[in-house]
Every structure is written in C-alpha cells, then in structure tokens.
Amino acid sequence: MAQSVGNLQLALEKAKEAGRTERGLMRLREQTGNGDQINVDLTYSVLLNLANQYANNEMYPEALNSYQAIVKNKMFSNAGRLKVNMANIYFKQKNYPKALKFYRMALDQISNAHKEMRIKIMQNIGVVFVRMGQYSNAVTSFEHIMSESPNIKTGFNLILCHYAVGDRERMKKAFQKLISVPLGVDDEEKYISTSDDPSSNMVIEAIKNDKLHQMERDIKALAEKFIMTAAKLIAPAIETSFVTGFDWCVDMVKSSQYVELANDLEINKAITYLRQKDFNQAVETLKTFEKKDSRVKSAASTNLSFLYFLEKDYEQADRYADLAMNADRYNPAALINKGNTVFVKRDYEKAAEFYKEALRNDSSCTEGLYNLGLTYKRLNRLDEALDCFLKLHAILRNSAEVMFQIASLYELLEDLQQAIEWLMQVISVAPTDPQVLAKLGELYDAEGDKSQAFQYYYESFRHFPSNIEVIEWLGAYFIETQFCEKAIHYFERATLIQPSQVKWQLMVASCYRRSGNYQKALETYKDVHSKFPENVECLRFLIRLGNDMGLNEVQEYTTKLKKAEKMKELKEQRVKSGREGSGRGRRENSGGSADSSHSSSSSTKGERLSAKMRSLPGSNEPYEASSPKELDASYVDPLGPQMDRPKTGVKKRVEDDDFADEELGDDLLPE
C-alpha cells in the first residue's frame, strides 16, 4: 500500500520489518519443535518483497544480493525467472553485457509453455543489443518476435534498427509488418447506440468512458504515433527523394487499417517542404485538402493561413482562416489565425474576442493567451494584459518572452522596481540578450543609478556592439564624467556603423579638443571637412581652432564658410519657394541679397569675385560677408557645453578703488 501511494521509503521499512517478523516466527517454530512446519511460500514472498523494495529505492547492490539469495535457495522452485529482475537492474546500471547474460539465463529456464514471458525477455534482449550498438543481433531478436507474436513496439524497434544499418528494402518490409500488426481493439461502432432500448443505451453510455475503452484508445493512439514517426523517419531514406518516400508510405497506409493516417502523412509532407524552405510546394500540397473531410480540411487550412500570414498576404491568410473555422469551429489554431489577421488590421476588440474563443475551446492554448495579452496592451488595458501574462508565466515558467512582456507592462504602469525585477529574471534565462541588458540600463538610468545603468549598457555593448542608442549613451556617460578620451572609442564605433552621419565624426573631434589634443582634433575636423565640405558646423570649428592655434588656413576656411552658408541659404529659399509654387517670385522676393540673384551668369561671377576680394579682413576688422548680414562664425559643440572647471585661488585685480573720490586726511599721510 505504501508503494502504491509512492511512499517508497515507508514501503522499504515495512518490508524489512516483515523480514524480521518472519525470521522471528521461524526461530519460534524451531524452539517449539515445529521446524518441519516452515511455510516456504511465506518466506519466498517476504524475501521477494524486500528485494523489490530495494530495487524501487534504487539500492541496487542490496536488491541484487536479495535476488541472489532467492535464486540460490533450492527450496524455491521456479526462482530462476527472477534473473530477469536482476538483468533489469544491470540494464539500469548500464552494465549491458551482464544484463544480456542474465536475460539469456532467464530465457533458458523458462519453458516454451510461457510464450508471452519468453517474448518479453527476447524483446529486452533486442533492446540490450541496440544499446550495445549490435544492430544485426537486435534485428534477429525483433524479427523472431514479429514472426511469433507481432506487436507495435517491436515493429517500431525493428524499423529503427534497419534505419541505423541503412537497409532500404528491409525498412520497407518492416514498415509493412508494422502497419499490419493487429491491435486487438474492437471497433468504435459498439459504442454507438443503434436502438431505442433504454437499457442497452444505458449500458453503452456506461462503457463509453470506462477504463477498458480508455485503454483501447491509448493503444490505438500509441500505434498511430509509432506509425507516423516511422513514416517520417524512413520516407527520406527509402527512396532517392523524400517526396517519393512519403508517397510510398501514404500508399501503404491507405491499404492498411490506418486509412485515416494517410491525410496526416500528407500534411507532414507539406511540413517537411516548409523545413526545406520550399514554401510553394508546401502551399500546393496543403491546397489539395480543400475538398477533403472537415478535420483534415481544417488542419490544412490552418497551416495555409499561417503561411500566408508569414508572407504578409493578409487577405489570403484571412480567407483560409475562415475556411478552417467553417470546417471546425472548435479548432483553437484556426481561431488564433483569424484573430491575428484582425489584429494586423488594428481591430483589437474583435481580435480579443477570437483569442478568448480559442481559450474557451482549449484552456491550455498558450498562443491564444499570449496574443490576448498583447491585444490588451494595445488597447491600453494594462491590468488585464498583466493578468494574462502572469497566468502564462505560471504555465511557461522559463519563457523569456513572457517575462519581458510582464516587465514592459510594469514599466508602462510606472512601477520601475517591479520592471527591473522581472528583467533580472529574464537575463537569468537569457543572460546574453543585448536588448534586455540595454533595457535594464535604461530603467536604472531613469531611476538615477548611473553606475548600474553603465554596467548593463556596457554588457549590452559587449554582446552587440552595433546598437547606436547604447553607443550614444556610453559616449555621453564618459563625457559627463569628464573622460572624453574613453568616449572617443564609442563615437568612432558609431562612425563605422553610420559613416554618412556627420555628427559622430564631429563628436570624435570635439572629444579630442576637450581632452587637450588640439592637433588630433584639427586633423579630425579636416578629415570631416574633406568628406562633408558643405558642413557649416565643421567649418566653424576649423575657424575657431585655427584662430586659437594661429594657423594660416583660417582665411581659406572663412571663405569656405561664407560659401557654404550661401549655399545653405539658397537651398532653404528654394525649398520655401517650391512650397509657395512660384519660381519667378522666388527670384524676385529673395530680399535683394547678392547670393540669391540668378538674373545672369555675369552677375554670379561678379559676386564670386567680390566675395574673394572681401575675404581678406583688416587686422582689427571683423569678418565681412558678401551679403549685408554678418557672417555667423559661432558654433555649437555637439557634446554640449563644457563643464566649468574649479576656480583657482588667484583673485582678479580690482581696477577701481572704492575710496578714489575721498580725500585723505592729514593723519593718514606719511610723516
């Protein structure tokens, strides 16, 4: 009884207690002179029970000793069959040669009258040969069983052995033997009422779900599983192509007692096409089921709907989802596909109804629960979405996607601490996910914990060094902490990722300038100018650096700046006039500035000449532009304003004396 409820330790204790009691009984009989009345059967039962309990508790040495004591005792007849139990223990210990030896010894001691027992031992011998890699010997054992007493399990094992050896013809023969194995299961017709007799109908209702019928269903389901697995396994191996192999298997199944499995095999053929990324053939195969019975039609239409959905052909996906639902309204996969097609049309309320119906039909449908949570999230019903994902987390404990969605919802609910806790659970499952690490850094940054934020952003960058947002944050972090030299590495990485974005290269140059490496900054600005000659900010930086370093190129860069600003202004005016829709008005209403006049080519040349002439300012005169407005040579540092340095102890000399207007008294004058 203790063993039946799973309390193996208690069962072992009771078996030991029974052994002690039985030995005490034997001593008592000997003391009273009744030693000849020993009950051999009782002793055998006690010893066998103790050995079995040792085996159940995985105390294999003790179990083997107990079995050995029974086998060697001459008082116990037919104890030799217990060598099967010993062989089973050796098999669990992976001592296959010894297991094989004891199976054969047990087989020798069992007469031919116990045919079923001998068949089971031979099946175990075949399995041992498989574990030892001796497939030819295993085939001999399995073929003998299939000729004497065929069964589904042995037939499947025989196919596996032929597959391991690579014998095509024998695989085919073994498959034919497998599908011809009689199951010994009665037809389902006996469970259908055919008369109006109340008593017979009551009997039929009683036996519909009794244990015998459940056992019959289990046997049939197991047989179908073995046949389907065997067909999928050997189909690519028995012919030159998997298509021909599948067709042969389908033909064999159609001519057997498992006719309904033929359609499932056809669907599996389509799935094999999908695995080989041959989508067109998969679609064509599935379309052949449109006129089949409702169950198969629903399954094929469900797969077709999902395929078209992946290809973003939502109209066809919606059509096949409807076909699948019409064929089988209780198909949860079809309802989910229909909900998905409605979801992409942004009809979230209707999508939620389909997902709910799928869950009503199958409460364990995780896809429906996940999609329902996403739908509530889109509808901003965050509490309901959170409830869906928490339920899903109870089913899928280690799903990183589910935990990430829970963290995202807590973030939307402005509970950042809970969001961080759930993201920590995500990285315990997926420790190298750069997006999750970056999200953790973002949340810690929002909480004001810069050091933790830096740690997770850096880990994200280490696993995926091409995320621009992470690179930008790390660069900004080092600038904020006044380590501009370290920021250069990240902005250079950004330059490699986005070479057409000038801002990253300007940031590199600004980092060099802030770190005091003016020569390197100048070289970087020159390199930027060579790549982006019309960039005004770069020219302004070059002018500023040139003035600070006393370079002769300042005049040249000043001219280029004026020209670049002129071109920029022209482009802005063209865009503005283009929006107004009048080309002539654009030329006439340009404010009279020289750089916007296009009346003749000679005037343009004259402007360029005058620009060159006026590009040499006097020693004390400001830079003068060709247009009436002054040239804007100011610049904005892309890194932001530099932080103020600490003040030194030297005070500025005060020029004005507060007492300058007061007359000094005679008593204050030196004597």
Side-chain angles (χ1 to χ4, degrees), residues 271-302:
I271 293 171
T272 308
Y273 276 127
L274 288 178
R275 287 175 180 161
Q276 296 181 350
K277 307 226 184 307
D278 192 347
F279 294 100
N280 293 330
Q281 282 293 336
V283 170
E284 290 301 318
T285 304
L286 290 171
K287 282 183 176 179
T288 59
F289 293 97
E290 289 188 30
K291 296 182 180 179
K292 295 287 181 73
D293 63 86
S294 60
R295 185 183 66 86
V296 179
K297 181 179 179 181
S298 179
S301 299
T302 300

Side-chain angles (χ1 to χ4, degrees), residues 309-501:
F309 186 84
L310 291 178
E311 292 181 346
K312 297 184 178 180
D313 188 348
Y314 300 128
E315 184 178 346
Q316 286 289 346
D318 188 55
R319 172 174 169 263
Y320 280 103
D322 287 334
L323 280 175
M325 288 168 57
N326 292 335
D328 183 6
R329 184 70 189 188
Y330 297 101
N331 183 353
L335 291 164
I336 289 172
N337 285 345
K338 180 63 177 178
N340 292 345
T341 59
V342 177
F343 185 93
V344 296
K345 296 175 183 177
R346 300 186 178 183
D347 190 352
Y348 301 124
E349 292 287 355
K350 194 172 181 181
E353 291 302 319
F354 283 113
Y355 297 140
K356 287 178 185 176
E357 187 176 351
L359 287 169
R360 284 194 294 270
N361 294 338
D362 182 6
S363 58
S364 63
C365 182
T366 54
E367 296 87 353
L369 193 55
Y370 188 91
N371 291 355
L372 182 61
L374 291 180
T375 306
Y376 283 143
K377 188 176 178 182
R378 289 292 181 92
L379 291 169
N380 205 31
R381 292 156 63 176
L382 302 181
D383 290 327
E384 293 175 76
L386 184 61
D387 184 53
C388 289
F389 285 115
L390 287 173
K391 287 179 181 176
L392 192 56
H393 177 65
I395 302 171
L396 307 173
R397 302 295 299 180
N398 295 320
S399 173
E401 293 85 356
V402 174
M403 290 187 283
F404 185 84
Q405 290 295 336
I406 294 172
S408 175
L409 286 166
Y410 274 121
E411 183 188 4
L412 293 174
L413 290 168
E414 299 181 355
D415 189 347
L416 298 187
Q417 283 300 322
Q418 281 289 338
I420 289 172
E421 287 182 15
W422 280 98
L423 286 176
M424 294 297 288
Q425 292 188 46
V426 175
I427 62 172
S428 69
V429 177
T432 60
D433 191 313
Q435 293 295 333
V436 177
L437 291 167
K439 191 66 181 176
L440 264 171
E442 180 186 336
L443 292 181
Y444 274 117
D445 190 24
E447 288 278 278
D449 192 343
K450 291 286 185 182
S451 60
Q452 284 285 358
F454 169 73
Q455 177 186 343
Y456 287 108
Y457 271 123
Y458 180 76
E459 284 295 310
S460 175
F461 173 78
R462 193 167 64 86
H463 292 297
F464 182 59
S466 300
N467 189 328
I468 283 293
E469 293 178 359
V470 173
I471 292 171
E472 186 173 9
W473 189 94
L474 288 169
Y477 172 80
F478 282 116
I479 290 168
E480 185 179 346
T481 54
Q482 301 188 37
F483 288 101
C484 297
E485 300 88 347
K486 293 185 178 180
I488 292 171
H489 167 69
Y490 297 101
F491 292 135
E492 284 179 343
R493 170 71 65 172
T495 302
L496 293 174
I497 297 169
Q498 294 182 342
S500 60
Q501 291 286 336

Side-chain angles (χ1 to χ4, degrees), residues 97-113:
K98 211 154 190 177
L100 180 62
K101 175 185 174 182
F102 274 84
Y103 279 133
R104 283 176 168 170
M105 290 170 64
L107 189 64
D108 292 339
Q109 294 185 10
I110 295 175
S111 64
N112 293 329

